[in-house]
Amino acid sequence: MTLKVTFLFVAITLASCNSSETKKDSEEFEVVSILDNLYCGTGGLTVGPDGYIYLSDFGPWLSGTPVLNPKNRVYKVSEDGNISIYAAMFDGASGSKFDSKGNFYQSNVKLGHITKITPNGTIDTLFVSGQVSPVGIEVDKEDNLYINNCDAHLIRKVTQARDTTIFCQDSLLNCPNGLTKDIKGNFYASNFYDGNVIKITPEGKASLFATIPGNNNGHVLYHENSIYVIGRSAHQIYKLSMDGEIELFAGSGKRGKKNGARLEATFSYPNDLDVSLDGKYLYVNEVADTISDNRVLTPTSLRRINIFD
């Protein structure tokens, strides 16, 4: 069933990062804040073909009764922190992705389905059957979807004809959270229940690629022959070579929201990441609350990290 809707590009007035102090920080620091204290649980983050950052609201807590909630939204954020509402009515909105035709796919972890939004505003609820806690999403060159199913510990493939198969099911997958793909067609899944990053061949064969400190990974991104992984409980971001060598990319390891040099800056349960269209920056969402435990996901901060020194 499809529903034609009109997008709600509603401006939201918030304290944004437009002050002279923030402008100075953005010129001097490798890690800066784009926005802070958005009432949004740290779910998915993806950069669209229009260059905007799309932030998905997971909801305020990791657990809870599944319910479609008009307050659970996907926000559209400009690179200077201006916010509008892109779409609403989600629950557990985590991994998200655009395909080559500009269709937006949003996983709903708690509801067990994927939401598709076309460029003309048509909303379609996809693939309800068989999805168990769908999280990270990746798209191949034929626009087939690959969807991490956290609590089923597997990855499903869904074609544009909506044929669904199990792409990879392996004991190494331990709540696969983030998912990305390199130029050779290999996939990389980051586990939420441990620190492992799993490499999966185009044929679906899994092997251990690397282990990230913190024992709780967020999402993962392939960019320019490197893999970037969120060490969620470590409050850090790591960079992996294609041989699996691990390098600390950003974050001192202390929980906080301090801007500055990459290795001196602090983060608070970061979750997802994507790269700007020009390849200069990584965008990372995180929990703005630096006191509560890891079950609390709101409010959200959005940070920007210089990729190159």
Side-chain angles (χ1 to χ4, degrees), residues 246-268:
I246 303 172
E247 171 191 350
L248 177 60
F249 180 71
S252 70
K254 181 179 179 180
R255 186 179 180 186
K257 296 188 293 182
K258 175 186 174 184
N259 292 323
R262 284 192 285 108
L263 299 182
E264 297 174 2
T266 59
F267 296 87
S268 174

Side-chain angles (χ1 to χ4, degrees), residues 6 32 36 65 87 89 119 129 156 166 180 186 198 223 236 279 284:
T6 301
V32 300
D36 202 358
T65 303
M89 297 297 288
S129 177
R156 295 184 186 275
I166 294 177
T180 193
N186 298 301
I198 308 305
H223 175 65
Q236 294 173 312
V284 177

